[in-house]
Amino acid sequence: MIIGVGIDVAEIDRFEDALRRTPAMADRLFIESELMLPSGERRGVASLAARFAAKEAVAKALGAPAGLLWTDCEVYVEESGRPRLRVRGTVAAAARARGVRTWHLSLSHDAGVASAMVIAEG
């Protein structure tokens, strides 16, 4: 059963400007593994913007409860290249309270916009 659906978009240039203005923002939004590629290089801004959109979409799928921590929702990529979500702490508690057992995630970025769609399934 679908418990919630969330979608969000982020303008990549605007997101990059925000990161440049407030360098500590990246550490408030992402855990280390989200900031880095498997090669050890820093992930590009379009990819980070898509991950930010995913975190916003997760909140929307949960009904936007107060008190969620950005770093309690992690976007990672399986070896196959499929993006996945890992939740812990505040996000896991909100998901558990709503009966969410499975997450589905789609990410995209093109034409200056990053987007994410999340389905919370119980």
Side-chain angles (χ1 to χ4, degrees):
M1 173 172 65
I2 294 175
I3 293 172
V5 175
I7 187 167
D8 195 69
V9 298
E11 187 181 332
I12 296 168
D13 287 344
R14 185 172 171 206
F15 187 75
E16 183 175 31
D17 289 344
L19 288 174
R20 201 174 294 127
R21 275 192 318 272
T22 312
M25 185 172 96
D27 291 330
R28 287 197 310 269
L29 296 176
F30 306 108
I31 64 171
E32 185 68 23
S33 62
E34 291 176 300
L35 293 170
M36 305 305 287
L37 293 167
S39 66
E41 295 177 69
R42 188 162 173 94
R43 191 173 297 279
V45 70
S47 180
L48 290 176
R51 282 160 170 70
F52 174 70
K55 293 170 187 249
E56 287 277 1
V58 165
K60 291 173 181 178
L62 291 172
L68 299 180
L69 296 176
W70 296 109
T71 54
D72 283 348
C73 178
E74 174 189 357
V75 177
Y76 70 98
V77 179
E78 293 179 336
E79 276 190 37
S80 67
R82 179 182 179 187
R84 302 285 293 176
L85 290 168
R86 186 176 294 130
V87 298
R88 62 182 69 79
T90 59
V91 178
R96 213 174 14 261
R98 287 158 181 78
V100 177
R101 292 191 322 239
T102 305
W103 296 98
H104 303 276
L105 170 64
S106 181
L107 302 174
S108 185
H109 45 81
D110 189 30
V113 176
S115 62
M117 181 173 174
V118 169
I119 298 173
E121 185 180 1

Short mmCIF file of all heavy atoms in Angstrom, two decimals, residues 10 16-17 20 25-26 31 45 50-51 54 65 67 72 80 82 95 97 101 111 113:
data_model
loop_
_atom_site.label_atom_id
_atom_site.label_comp_id
_atom_site.label_asym_id
_atom_site.label_seq_id
_atom_site.Cartn_x
_atom_site.Cartn_y
_atom_site.Cartn_z
N ALA A 10 14.97 21.17 -7.59
CA ALA A 10 15.93 22.16 -7.12
C ALA A 10 16.64 22.76 -8.33
O ALA A 10 17.15 22.02 -9.17
CB ALA A 10 16.95 21.52 -6.18
N GLU A 16 23.81 25.73 -6.06
CA GLU A 16 25.26 25.97 -6.05
C GLU A 16 25.59 27.31 -5.38
O GLU A 16 26.53 27.39 -4.58
CB GLU A 16 25.81 25.93 -7.47
CG GLU A 16 27.31 26.10 -7.53
CD GLU A 16 27.85 25.95 -8.95
OE1 GLU A 16 27.12 26.29 -9.90
OE2 GLU A 16 28.99 25.49 -9.07
N ASP A 17 24.82 28.33 -5.68
CA ASP A 17 25.03 29.65 -5.05
C ASP A 17 24.85 29.56 -3.54
O ASP A 17 25.63 30.15 -2.78
CB ASP A 17 24.06 30.69 -5.62
CG ASP A 17 24.39 31.09 -7.05
OD1 ASP A 17 25.52 30.79 -7.52
OD2 ASP A 17 23.50 31.68 -7.70
N ARG A 20 27.86 27.94 -2.04
CA ARG A 20 29.00 28.85 -2.09
C ARG A 20 28.88 29.91 -0.99
O ARG A 20 29.87 30.25 -0.34
CB ARG A 20 29.09 29.51 -3.46
CG ARG A 20 30.48 30.04 -3.77
CD ARG A 20 30.62 30.57 -5.18
NE ARG A 20 30.50 29.50 -6.16
CZ ARG A 20 29.66 29.52 -7.20
NH1 ARG A 20 28.89 30.56 -7.42
NH2 ARG A 20 29.61 28.53 -8.04
N MET A 25 26.70 24.56 4.92
CA MET A 25 25.39 24.01 4.59
C MET A 25 25.52 22.56 4.10
O MET A 25 24.68 21.71 4.44
CB MET A 25 24.71 24.86 3.52
CG MET A 25 23.30 24.43 3.21
SD MET A 25 22.46 25.61 2.14
CE MET A 25 22.75 24.85 0.56
N ALA A 26 26.54 22.25 3.34
CA ALA A 26 26.71 20.89 2.82
C ALA A 26 26.80 19.87 3.96
O ALA A 26 26.22 18.79 3.87
CB ALA A 26 27.95 20.81 1.93
N ILE A 31 25.66 13.52 4.60
CA ILE A 31 26.73 12.80 5.29
C ILE A 31 27.89 12.65 4.31
O ILE A 31 27.73 12.85 3.10
CB ILE A 31 26.25 11.44 5.85
CG1 ILE A 31 25.83 10.49 4.75
CG2 ILE A 31 25.13 11.64 6.87
CD1 ILE A 31 25.56 9.07 5.22
N VAL A 45 27.71 19.32 -8.23
CA VAL A 45 26.59 20.07 -7.65
C VAL A 45 25.24 19.58 -8.17
O VAL A 45 24.27 19.57 -7.42
CB VAL A 45 26.78 21.59 -7.86
CG1 VAL A 45 26.62 21.99 -9.31
CG2 VAL A 45 25.82 22.37 -6.98
N ALA A 50 20.15 16.98 -6.66
CA ALA A 50 19.18 15.89 -6.77
C ALA A 50 19.01 15.19 -5.43
O ALA A 50 17.89 14.83 -5.04
CB ALA A 50 19.61 14.90 -7.84
N ARG A 51 20.09 15.01 -4.69
CA ARG A 51 20.01 14.38 -3.38
C ARG A 51 19.25 15.28 -2.40
O ARG A 51 18.48 14.78 -1.57
CB ARG A 51 21.41 14.05 -2.86
CG ARG A 51 21.95 12.80 -3.50
CD ARG A 51 23.46 12.67 -3.42
NE ARG A 51 23.88 11.34 -3.84
CZ ARG A 51 23.83 10.88 -5.08
NH1 ARG A 51 23.39 11.66 -6.05
NH2 ARG A 51 24.21 9.65 -5.38
N ALA A 54 15.69 14.85 -3.12
CA ALA A 54 15.22 13.57 -2.59
C ALA A 54 14.86 13.69 -1.11
O ALA A 54 13.83 13.16 -0.67
CB ALA A 54 16.27 12.49 -2.80
N PRO A 65 6.48 16.13 8.63
CA PRO A 65 6.48 16.28 10.09
C PRO A 65 7.64 17.16 10.55
O PRO A 65 8.70 17.18 9.92
CB PRO A 65 6.64 14.85 10.60
CG PRO A 65 7.35 14.14 9.50
CD PRO A 65 6.86 14.78 8.23
N GLY A 67 10.80 18.37 12.86
CA GLY A 67 11.89 17.73 13.59
C GLY A 67 12.75 16.74 12.83
O GLY A 67 13.60 16.09 13.42
N ASP A 72 19.57 12.36 8.59
CA ASP A 72 18.92 11.09 8.93
C ASP A 72 18.29 10.43 7.70
O ASP A 72 17.65 9.39 7.81
CB ASP A 72 17.86 11.29 10.02
CG ASP A 72 18.49 11.43 11.40
OD1 ASP A 72 19.69 11.16 11.56
OD2 ASP A 72 17.75 11.82 12.33
N SER A 80 24.49 -1.47 -9.14
CA SER A 80 23.79 -1.44 -10.42
C SER A 80 23.58 -0.02 -10.93
O SER A 80 23.23 0.18 -12.09
CB SER A 80 22.42 -2.12 -10.29
OG SER A 80 21.58 -1.35 -9.43
N ARG A 82 21.38 2.01 -9.34
CA ARG A 82 20.05 2.40 -8.84
C ARG A 82 20.17 3.22 -7.56
O ARG A 82 20.81 2.80 -6.60
CB ARG A 82 19.25 1.14 -8.56
CG ARG A 82 17.87 1.39 -8.03
CD ARG A 82 17.17 0.08 -7.74
NE ARG A 82 15.85 0.34 -7.21
CZ ARG A 82 15.06 -0.60 -6.75
NH1 ARG A 82 15.45 -1.86 -6.76
NH2 ARG A 82 13.88 -0.29 -6.27
N ALA A 95 8.88 7.45 9.74
CA ALA A 95 8.46 6.42 8.78
C ALA A 95 7.80 5.25 9.51
O ALA A 95 6.74 4.76 9.09
CB ALA A 95 9.66 5.94 7.96
N ALA A 97 6.29 5.31 12.40
CA ALA A 97 5.00 5.75 12.94
C ALA A 97 3.90 5.73 11.88
O ALA A 97 2.72 5.58 12.21
CB ALA A 97 5.14 7.15 13.53
N ARG A 101 7.57 0.75 5.14
CA ARG A 101 8.52 -0.36 5.17
C ARG A 101 9.50 -0.31 4.01
O ARG A 101 10.61 -0.84 4.09
CB ARG A 101 7.78 -1.69 5.17
CG ARG A 101 7.00 -1.93 6.45
CD ARG A 101 6.49 -3.35 6.54
NE ARG A 101 6.04 -3.86 5.26
CZ ARG A 101 4.82 -4.30 4.99
NH1 ARG A 101 3.92 -4.32 5.93
NH2 ARG A 101 4.51 -4.75 3.79
N ALA A 111 18.80 20.31 -17.85
CA ALA A 111 18.36 21.68 -18.17
C ALA A 111 18.36 22.59 -16.94
O ALA A 111 17.46 23.41 -16.79
CB ALA A 111 16.98 21.65 -18.84
N VAL A 113 17.88 21.85 -13.78
CA VAL A 113 16.99 21.48 -12.70
C VAL A 113 17.27 20.05 -12.26
O VAL A 113 17.43 19.15 -13.08
CB VAL A 113 15.51 21.61 -13.13
CG1 VAL A 113 14.58 21.14 -12.04
CG2 VAL A 113 15.18 23.03 -13.53
#
